[in-house]
């Protein structure tokens, strides 16, 4: 057969393939057409089968189109593109510099930090940078529209620890084993189950590398992955009592004692409520693997809804009695996590602390804007105060009853950058929790499918085929870099404000600008009277 004949045969075969493909497409289109016009579930498809199908396709990919094409850098929710990049760039490249000017809208209302006429110089800052932290950072060699060439290199960076005398101590005068912390930022509650084992391990490893911090287990209980990286741990206990429950669902003092004897477990936190869901937690059955079920003491592959409150106590006095027993048995600091809204109840708690001389070692205030693995719209959008409103209320009430010096306040709620953390510290927080910022540092791209077990980057999923995307060794350095960048940023802001350590932030260091451009002192906004 000559080459000409070969080409003719190939051409004929190609035409045949194209014809078959066209016929197949036509058949599929007509099949979908008649299927849609005869179905009774969707009105738009019944009247406009083709356009209706296009509508559903665009609706499905709408979130991605908005995130990458249509939102500007400051529009996206829950976090804008700018906030997301602030986290990712600090985590990957360990730098936060940019050029030309800020993208913040100065016409909007918001908080601003008051700079000093004579700021502190670097050598005047109270900071412990004696021990360097070995990490790995990326450096871009060449970047164009279609290609980025970069390499990873080893680096030794300053840790930006607090001096020993400035360290924050939980349970200093109340328990046998106080928890001394040399950094003001830690990881907020994230359960194993809501996050996969690789994400939890990367977080634990990165936090241990950075030092001076902690990771909160979330109410899902203490897993081997929380301990695997060597980080200090605050074990959270929710109303479901996961990890410290009997087979019948009762509180197990034996299991609690066993957990308290683990050296890495530095404190315990009773979760009364969470900002994004003032109720018990939810975990979809698809995420409840046999391993997670064993850790929690539940049935595998069954959805879990924990109660919205503890049955072990029902008022401030009985809660404090329970806290006292936990502290006595475990010997470690005990705190509570709550959402500010019921100011009368918070007032009663502070009054009971004053009357009894007892109470929690720390209170975590979670803002209504906080994140979650799964919640309901009505709870996430409208129940509970935002963190910048809640913090001054809690701080004022504790001062009103003269118990503020006995308890540390930990704030959480979208505090993913140094400036937002500084405002929270000035409003009364002693420490700050971050969850979603750390999720972004290990690869989260805000796909908003945490509740489905289909996280495309292997963070909020227990699916092994999806988790393979997350490389623990690589992401652990990003966690470390992000945390150290936050601490460094806090020292930058403190120096600009004229103080030598971020533990000295007070309300006088921030102002609120209203929509008319007027600046309001914090004392004028929050007079100390809770309404």
């Amino acid at each position: 057969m000559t080459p000409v004949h070969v080409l003719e045969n190939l051409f004929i075969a190609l035409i045949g393939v194209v014809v078959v493909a066209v016929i197949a497409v036509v058949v599929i289109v007509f099949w979908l057409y008649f299927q849609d016009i005869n179905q009774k579930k969707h009105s738009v498809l019944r009247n406009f089968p083709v356009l209706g199908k296009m509508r559903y396709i665009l609706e499905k990919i709408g979130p991605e189109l908005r995130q990458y094409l249509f939102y500007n850098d400051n529009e996206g929710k829950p976090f804008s593109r700018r906030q997301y990049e602030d986290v990712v760039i600090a985590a990957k490249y360990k730098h936060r510099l940019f050029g030309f000017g800020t993208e913040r809208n100065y016409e909007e209302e918001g908080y601003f930090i008051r700079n000093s006429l004579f700021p502190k110089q670097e050598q005047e800052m109270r900071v412990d940078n004696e021990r360097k932290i070995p990490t790995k950072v990326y450096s871009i060699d060449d970047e164009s529209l279609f290609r980025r060439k970069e390499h990873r290199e080893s680096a030794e960076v300053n840790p930006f620890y607090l001096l020993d005398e400035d360290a924050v101590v939980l349970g200093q005068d109340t328990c046998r084993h106080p928890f001394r912390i040399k950094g003001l930022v830690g990881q907020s509650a994230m359960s194993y189950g809501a996050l996969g084992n690789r994400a939890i391990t990367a977080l634990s490893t990165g936090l241990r590398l950075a030092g001076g911090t902690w990771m909160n287990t979330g109410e899902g209980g203490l897993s081997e992955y929380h301990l695997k990286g060597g980080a200090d741990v605050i074990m959270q206990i929710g109303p479901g009592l996961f990890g410290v429950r009997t087979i019948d669902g009762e509180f197990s003092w034996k299991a609690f004692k066993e957990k308290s004897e683990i050296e890495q477990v530095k404190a315990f936190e009773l979760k009364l409520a969470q900002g994004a869901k003032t109720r018990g937690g939810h975990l979809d059955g698809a995420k409840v693997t046999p391993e997670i079920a064993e850790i929690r003491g539940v049935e595998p592959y069954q959805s879990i809804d924990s109660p919205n409150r503890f049955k072990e106590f029902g008022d401030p006095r009985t809660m404090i009695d329970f806290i006292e027993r936990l502290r006595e048995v475990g010997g470690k600091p005990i705190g509570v996590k709550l959402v500010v809204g019921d100011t009368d109840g918070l007032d009663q708690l502070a009054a009971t602390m004053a009357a009894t001389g007892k109470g929690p070692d720390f209170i975590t205030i979670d803002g209504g804007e906080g994140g979650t693995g799964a919640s309901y719209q009505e709870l996430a959008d409208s129940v509970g105060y935002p963190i910048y409103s809640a913090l001054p209320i809690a701080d004022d009430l504790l001062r009103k009853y003269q118990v503020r010096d006995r308890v540390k306040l930990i704030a959480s709620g979208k505090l993913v950058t140094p400036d937002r953390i500084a405002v929270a510290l000035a409003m009364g927080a002693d420490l700050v929790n971050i969850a979603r910022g750390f999720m972004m540092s290990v690869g989260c791209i805000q796909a908003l499918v945490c509740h489905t077990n289909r996280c495309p980057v292997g963070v909020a999923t227990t699916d092994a085929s999806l988790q393979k995307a997350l490389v623990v060794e690589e992401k652990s350095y990003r966690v470390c870099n992000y945390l150290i960048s936050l601490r460094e940023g806090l020292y930058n802001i403190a120096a600009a404000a004229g103080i030598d350590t971020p533990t000295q932030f007070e309300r006088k260091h921030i102002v609120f600008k209203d929509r008319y451009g007027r600046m309001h002192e914090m004392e004028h906004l929050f007079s100390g009277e809770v309404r």
Side-chain angles (χ1 to χ4, degrees), residues 38 80 88 113 161 185 315 336 350 380 391 416 423 481 523:
N38 290 310
S80 69
V88 172
I113 298 162
Y161 294 138
V185 183
D315 56 56
V336 296
L391 263 176
V416 298
V423 171
N481 295 337
E523 277 64 28

Side-chain angles (χ1 to χ4, degrees), residues 37-173:
I37 64 173
N38 290 310
Q39 56 81 38
K40 299 178 181 179
K41 295 180 181 179
H42 307 287
S43 300
V44 68
L45 289 179
R46 191 169 173 85
N47 283 341
F48 305 100
V50 178
L51 292 177
K53 190 70 71 176
M54 292 176 61
R55 174 186 179 273
Y56 283 116
I57 292 172
L58 290 172
E59 190 177 62
K60 183 68 175 177
I61 64 174
E64 289 79 9
L65 292 176
R66 288 189 290 274
Q67 181 178 1
Y68 294 108
L69 296 178
F70 301 121
Y71 280 154
N72 68 38
D73 285 350
N74 296 306
E75 281 184 323
K77 300 294 182 183
F79 293 93
S80 69
R81 188 69 188 173
R82 172 60 61 193
Q83 290 172 313
Y84 173 79
E85 288 181 347
D86 285 340
V87 174
V88 172
I89 291 173
K92 186 175 181 179
Y93 302 101
K94 185 58 182 62
H95 71 76
R96 301 180 318 284
L97 295 173
F98 68 91
F100 199 65
T102 177
E103 292 186 13
R104 178 174 182 173
N105 185 352
Y106 276 80
E107 305 303 316
E108 294 180 347
E109 296 180 331
Y111 289 97
F112 289 82
I113 298 162
R114 302 175 69 171
N115 63 293
S116 172
L117 190 60
F118 301 101
K120 295 291 183 181
Q121 295 185 334
E122 183 177 345
Q123 61 270 24
E124 295 178 293
M125 301 303 291
R126 295 170 57 82
V127 60
D128 178 1
N129 280 329
E130 289 190 14
R131 181 175 71 87
K132 307 302 179 184
I133 302 295
T135 185
K136 295 185 185 296
V137 298
Y138 281 85
S139 179
I140 298 175
D141 302 312
D142 182 42
E143 188 172 23
S144 63
L145 182 61
F146 299 106
R147 185 174 70 102
R148 173 188 289 175
K149 184 179 180 181
E150 58 186 3
H151 69 278
R152 195 176 74 164
E153 57 191 25
S154 298
E156 288 195 341
V157 300
N158 290 325
F160 289 91
Y161 294 138
L162 301 171
L163 294 181
D164 288 341
E165 55 265 37
D166 295 328
V168 179
V169 184
L170 305 182
Q172 184 165 14
D173 301 316

Side-chain angles (χ1 to χ4, degrees), residues 213-230:
T213 187
W214 67 93
M215 74 181 309
N216 190 305
T217 65
E219 66 171 300
L222 180 68
S223 72
E224 65 174 289
Y225 309 106
H226 289 104
L227 301 172
K228 194 171 184 178

Side-chain angles (χ1 to χ4, degrees), residues 165-230:
E165 55 265 37
D166 295 328
V168 179
V169 184
L170 305 182
Q172 184 165 14
D173 301 316
T174 60
C175 57
R176 298 187 297 276
H177 306 288
F179 180 24
R180 179 175 293 272
I181 306 169
K182 293 198 62 171
L184 298 180
V185 183
Q187 181 219 288
S188 192
M190 292 193 286
S191 300
Y192 172 48
L195 268 60
N197 61 66
R198 291 196 180 193
I200 295 292
T201 302
L203 288 165
S204 176
T205 305
L207 293 169
R208 189 268 309 158
L209 185 62
T213 187
W214 67 93
M215 74 181 309
N216 190 305
T217 65
E219 66 171 300
L222 180 68
S223 72
E224 65 174 289
Y225 309 106
H226 289 104
L227 301 172
K228 194 171 184 178

